[in-house]
Amino acid sequence: MDHWQRVVVRRNKELRIFTLNSVMKRFLLVIILVAVLMYAVLHTNVWKTNDYWLSYRTMERKNVLNTCLRKPAFASLLNADKIYPFLCSNDFLKVAAFHGSDKFELPYGIKRAESNFHLALSRLESCELFHKDDGEPCKKCIVVGNGGVLRNKTLGEKINSYHVVIRMNNGPIIGYEDDVGRKTDFRLFYPESVFSDPIHYDPNTTVVLVVFKPHDLKWLWSLLGGQKINAKSFWKKPALNMIYKTNQIRILDPSIIRKTAHEWLHFPTRYFKKEKPKHPTTGLIAISLAFHFCHEVHLAGFKYDFTDRNSSLHYYGNETMSLMIENEYHNISAEQRFLKMLRDKNFVVNLT
Ligand SMILES: *[C@@H]1O[C@H](CO)[C@@H](O)[C@H](O)[C@H]1NC(C)=O
Ligand SMILES: *[C@@H]1O[C@H](CO)[C@@H](O)[C@H](O)[C@H]1NC(C)=O
Ligand SMILES: *[C@@H]1O[C@H](CO)[C@@H](O)[C@H](O)[C@H]1NC(C)=O
Ligand SMILES: *[C@@H]1O[C@H](CO)[C@@H](O)[C@H](O)[C@H]1NC(C)=O
Ligand SMILES: *[C@@H]1O[C@H](CO)[C@@H](O)[C@H](O)[C@H]1NC(C)=O
């Protein structure tokens, strides 16, 4: 063979190796594609057989609950099972099926009130957790109860220093700034307890409706649609106007209250006909809410002085402890025991 012949033979050899290489590459590519496809099919099938298929957006929303990588002190309380606190109009039925809320009637589920939930949610503009997120992944929160212990403690500045301040009902700020602070990120309410005087309006607050009866949803739907309110179905006169903007309003997922009542306070799941069912107080529901998205939870204004019936119930107004002792809707002793456990295990820090 002369030089040129040898070159041609080598070229042919290289060409064969080259084509063999590209065939193998294509073969590998096909194998990888098939594997990816099979993984996807299997994965969705596993979800579907559970009947709990949650959309990508629902899963993504839940991720905002896990921005902090450090374990909170109260992690064992949640069993890694965090509930996204607010209902969204596009998937609340799926989420209810996922958490089992479709098997309970109000106040702890949506059964037989689905259409009321649908109507009220359709009037809301947002179900986002944070109005304006400060970008802090590990949130230090304070839940401010309305207890009389807050009087003259000048905790206001301390309360303002938390990432998230959660308050409830019509506990006022105006005139009490020194004792209870000014900042309010969340305020839990029901129709009979929400501010109706615009003097209390705060553009930085997200207000969260705690639904106890179907009428609460009708009330919200009517108010936001500019219709008249029928005040008959309420135990106390409800607010007849809404001072908050639609994009500030959320509806709490009843699963959070159910978990509080059944798992944490050990309330019975059934009552005899003549028995008055006990429900958690808004204060305890607020603490429960905080556990679902905060990394650290502090409390203020949660201590009741049962030894003195004349001591003031709230940090505002004239009501006395005797009102709480006679309350037939709540089980205060069960709640006090739960709060004591939270303090004893250092799950929370109590400022008062
Ligand atoms: C709180 O302080 C005010 C004024 O300093 C006083 O009039 C009031 O009696 C105090 N209240 C309590 C509960 O100590
Ligand atoms: C709302 O937040 C803004 C910006 O953080 C602040 O300047 C304003 O004072 C807040 N308003 C109230 C009523 O707290
Ligand atoms: C509580 O108030 C009532 C009436 O206002 C009064 O008769 C009673 O002595 C008070 N009790 C205490 C322990 O101060
Ligand atoms: C509390 O009582 C005082 C006098 O007893 C009264 O003037 C005041 O209006 C009462 N405040 C409320 C909020 O009921
Ligand atoms: C309150 O709850 C406890 C259980 O935590 C129970 O033993 C007690 O009987 C309840 N009290 C009432 C009045 O329901």
Side-chain angles (χ1 to χ4, degrees):
M1 269 198 272
D2 66 11
H3 173 73
W4 284 113
Q5 273 177 321
R6 253 179 278 151
V7 168
V8 168
V9 166
R10 203 164 59 222
R11 273 281 161 86
N12 277 343
K13 228 187 217 165
E14 277 170 3
L15 206 67
R16 268 206 307 280
I17 289 169
F18 176 75
T19 45
L20 199 69
N21 249 342
S22 70
V23 165
M24 271 174 74
K25 265 186 193 159
R26 256 183 245 167
F27 187 63
L28 263 173
L29 197 73
V30 168
I31 287 184
I32 289 169
L33 277 176
V34 166
V36 165
L37 201 72
M38 273 175 70
Y39 176 80
V41 167
L42 271 175
H43 216 71
T44 45
N45 264 345
V46 165
W47 283 351
K48 271 186 190 154
T49 50
N50 274 339
D51 233 350
Y52 293 153
W53 192 83
L54 292 179
S55 74
Y56 175 72
R57 280 201 58 186
T58 311
M59 305 291 283
E60 198 183 38
R61 208 162 49 223
K62 270 190 98 163
N63 287 344
V64 307
L65 308 179
N66 297 311
T67 51
C68 183
L69 299 177
R70 278 181 287 133
K71 225 177 172 184
F74 49 80
S76 59
L77 208 59
L78 293 162
N79 303 319
D81 169 34
K82 286 186 189 169
I83 299 165
Y84 185 79
F86 307 137
L87 297 180
C88 302
S89 64
N90 63 342
D91 65 0
F92 77 98
L93 286 173
K94 265 185 192 164
V95 170
F98 183 79
H99 292 304
S101 294
D102 54 343
K103 297 179 184 64
F104 292 86
E105 287 179 30
L106 275 168
Y108 303 138
I110 67 160
K111 193 178 169 186
R112 277 193 258 284
E114 293 91 348
S115 56
N116 292 304
F117 273 100
H118 178 74
L119 283 176
L121 285 166
S122 68
R123 290 248 153 102
L124 300 189
E125 283 169 22
S126 168
C127 60
E128 264 175 72
L129 184 55
F130 294 109
H131 202 51
K132 268 185 272 170
D133 197 350
D134 57 5
E136 170 60 54
C138 299
K139 297 223 170 358
K140 209 169 155 180
C141 303
I142 185 155
V143 185
V144 184
N146 291 336
V149 281
L150 282 170
R151 277 184 201 232
N152 292 0
K153 293 258 161 62
T154 48
L155 283 172
E157 236 171 89
K158 169 102 183 145
I159 290 171
N160 287 336
S161 73
Y162 286 80
H163 297 132
V164 177
V165 181
I166 305 176
R167 302 181 196 267
M168 62 222 58
N169 300 328
N170 46 0
I173 300 287
I174 301 164
Y176 301 92
E177 291 91 342
D178 288 347
D179 284 338
V180 303
R182 210 172 302 111
K183 187 171 157 39
T184 310
D185 296 287
F186 293 99
R187 189 181 279 275
L188 279 70
F189 76 98
Y190 43 87
E192 298 92 342
S193 80
V194 67
F195 286 131
S196 55
D197 187 341
I199 194 176
H200 296 291
Y201 178 71
D202 181 342
N204 302 332
T205 299
T206 298
V207 286
V208 183
L209 174 65
V210 181
V211 185
F212 279 99
K213 48 195 182 306
H215 272 288
D216 298 347
L217 295 160
K218 276 188 201 151
W219 167 86
L220 184 64
W221 180 72
S222 304
L223 265 190
L224 297 183
Q227 284 138 311
K228 276 231 163 114
I229 303 295
N230 180 2
K232 263 188 198 153
S233 323
F234 298 91
W235 54 273
K236 203 176 107 186
K237 192 181 164 203
L240 301 179
N241 59 301
M242 175 57 72
I243 67 167
Y244 298 97
K245 297 208 173 81
T246 313
N247 66 7
Q248 290 177 276
I249 307 170
R250 305 285 185 276
I251 296 178
L252 188 73
D253 187 332
S255 316
I256 292 212
I257 321 176
R258 195 170 69 247
K259 184 189 258 180
T260 314
H262 295 167
E263 290 177 30
W264 294 350
L265 298 173
H266 305 293
F267 287 175
T269 49
R270 281 162 197 276
Y271 287 89
F272 293 113
K273 270 235 165 74
K274 278 188 178 165
E275 264 181 316
K276 273 248 162 65
K278 304 282 185 210
H279 299 306
T281 57
T282 318
L284 223 77
I285 297 169
I287 295 173
S288 183
L289 167 68
F291 284 146
H292 284 83
F293 66 86
C294 299
H295 180 257
E296 220 178 291
V297 176
H298 292 195
L299 309 179
F302 272 91
K303 198 161 71 191
Y304 296 122
D305 181 7
F306 287 111
T307 55
D308 180 5
R309 293 176 67 93
N310 286 0
S311 65
S312 45
L313 179 60
H314 296 137
Y315 65 83
Y316 54 93
N318 293 343
E319 288 172 346
T320 59
M321 270 316 295
S322 51
L323 214 75
M324 201 52 159
I325 293 164
E326 284 142 24
N327 199 310
E328 56 185 355
Y329 299 101
H330 304 306
N331 184 335
I332 298 300
S333 59
E335 293 199 4
Q336 294 285 308
R337 211 168 327 129
F338 179 68
L339 286 173
K340 186 175 181 308
M341 182 278 284
L342 293 181
R343 285 192 305 268
D344 290 349
K345 293 196 169 177
N346 294 319
F347 286 174
V348 298
V349 173
N350 199 12
L351 301 190
T352 47

